[in-house]
Every structure is written in C-alpha cells, then in structure tokens.
Amino acid sequence: MFESALVVKELPADLWELRRPLVYRGARDTITVPAGFPTDFASVPRPFWWFVPRAGRHTKAAVLHDFLCRRGDHLDPAIHRSDADGIFRRTMREGGVDLLRRWIMWAAVRWTQFGLFRISQGGVGELFGVLAITALALPVLLPGATVVAVSLVAFWVLRLAVYVIARLVGRRSGEPVPRFLAAR
C-alpha cells in the first residue's frame, strides 16, 4: 500500500515533478520514489484518454511504474521490467482500479516488451495472456479511439484553417492575430 500522498509540481511539456517522496510498502519490500522525480503520470495515447485518463485512481501506480521502468535496474535488488509491470497491476488493484481496466492497462504496458519479437522473462505463456486480453479489449476500445482520433485530426485541420484565415485578415486590417488563435 502507498504510505504517502502524491504531491507534485507542474513542469513544462505535460510533465510533473514529485515534491515529496512517494512511498510504497509491499509484502517484502519498500520502494521510495524520490522527491524531484519527473513523471507524465499514465502514458496513454490521446485517442484512449476517454477510457484511461492520464490521472485517476491509477496515478500513484503509474508514477511508481515510471520510476521502476526508468530506475529499476539501479535498485537493490534490481527489478526486471516484467516485475515492474506486475507491481503496476497490483498497485492499481490496491488503489481501487476495476479488474478489467487494470488488466487492459497491464496488457498495454506489457506490449512494449514484445517489440521486435522479443519475449521478456514472462515467456510465451504471458504473451498469450496479453494477446487474449488485447483480443477482448480491442473490439470495445478501438471504435471509441477511432472516433476520438478522427475528431482530433478534424479539429487540427479546423484550427489550421482558422489560423490561416486570421493571419490573412490580420494582414489586411493591420490587426494582430488574437493570441488564442496563434499557433503554439
């Protein structure tokens, strides 16, 4: 269980910095994410934010997972990526994330270990588990993610068109382009 509150400070580029250590005590080990550690909370592609927002009940688990994935090999004893992913799933359960959502999130982080046909220490059996969860989840998640992705592209095109029109009108009238329309 987590023994401390999550206290963060916002940084540029959608990052956050821990202002106080985040302490997790498991059955055998205590893991401390140090103050100053940068995180993006949950690394969820934007089309899936409707299903898993970047912050929620899973936030502390995501911060701990970020730390273990970036620093796990420096801990004593070292933590393998598949173990970090398992701790992620367990801490989501302890944090009240529902069964289906935490298994889908676990499968998503496990996919990063199967890139380029690598199979991590979890072995072939784990790969089949990840495939099974993915096969169950995709028919539900993909339609929503597709709608969101298409909407994001349509909004980007609309914003670009408004920006171009505002620039053209602004040049003729000598008025500056409103800040909210200016590209960032």
Side-chain angles (χ1 to χ4, degrees):
M1 297 292 291
F2 285 97
E3 295 182 345
S4 59
L6 180 63
V7 181
V8 295
K9 171 186 166 188
E10 187 174 7
L11 299 175
D14 293 327
L15 289 175
W16 300 83
E17 176 182 87
L18 268 63
R19 302 304 288 164
R20 293 190 188 145
L22 180 65
V23 180
Y24 175 78
R25 186 175 309 277
R28 290 174 287 179
D29 298 309
T30 299
I31 304 169
T32 301
V33 183
F37 180 76
T39 180
D40 64 351
F41 297 146
S43 305
V44 180
R46 189 169 283 206
F48 293 97
W49 283 3
W50 64 272
F51 180 72
V52 177
R54 291 181 57 199
R57 290 180 186 240
H58 57 276
T59 303
K60 287 182 179 180
V63 172
L64 179 62
H65 186 255
D66 280 354
F67 176 72
L68 293 175
C69 289
R70 283 189 235 155
R71 302 292 306 211
D73 55 338
H74 293 79
L75 297 176
D76 184 28
I79 295 179
H80 190 275
R81 176 60 192 263
S82 64
D83 294 331
D85 294 347
I87 291 169
F88 177 55
R89 190 180 64 226
R90 183 178 70 226
T91 54
M92 284 192 293
R93 177 179 47 82
E94 293 170 356
V97 176
D98 66 88
L99 177 75
L100 184 59
R101 191 175 316 269
R102 74 176 173 258
W103 278 91
I104 290 171
M105 291 173 71
W106 171 81
V109 298
R110 289 308 299 145
W111 269 114
T112 64
Q113 292 303 291
F114 299 124
L116 300 175
F117 305 103
R118 279 187 331 184
I119 297 182
S120 69
Q121 96 184 30
V124 175
E126 184 179 78
L127 176 61
F128 289 129
V130 170
L131 286 170
I133 292 166
T134 303
L136 290 171
L138 276 183
V140 175
L141 299 180
L142 210 49
T146 302
V147 168
V148 171
V150 168
S151 297
L152 288 170
V153 169
F155 179 74
W156 180 82
V157 169
L158 178 63
R159 183 177 172 182
L160 180 63
V162 168
Y163 172 76
V164 168
I165 291 168
R167 293 287 292 201
L168 292 173
V169 169
R171 282 189 185 147
R172 278 194 234 144
S173 67
E175 299 225 2
V177 176
R179 287 182 64 145
F180 71 93
L181 291 177
R184 292 181 183 208

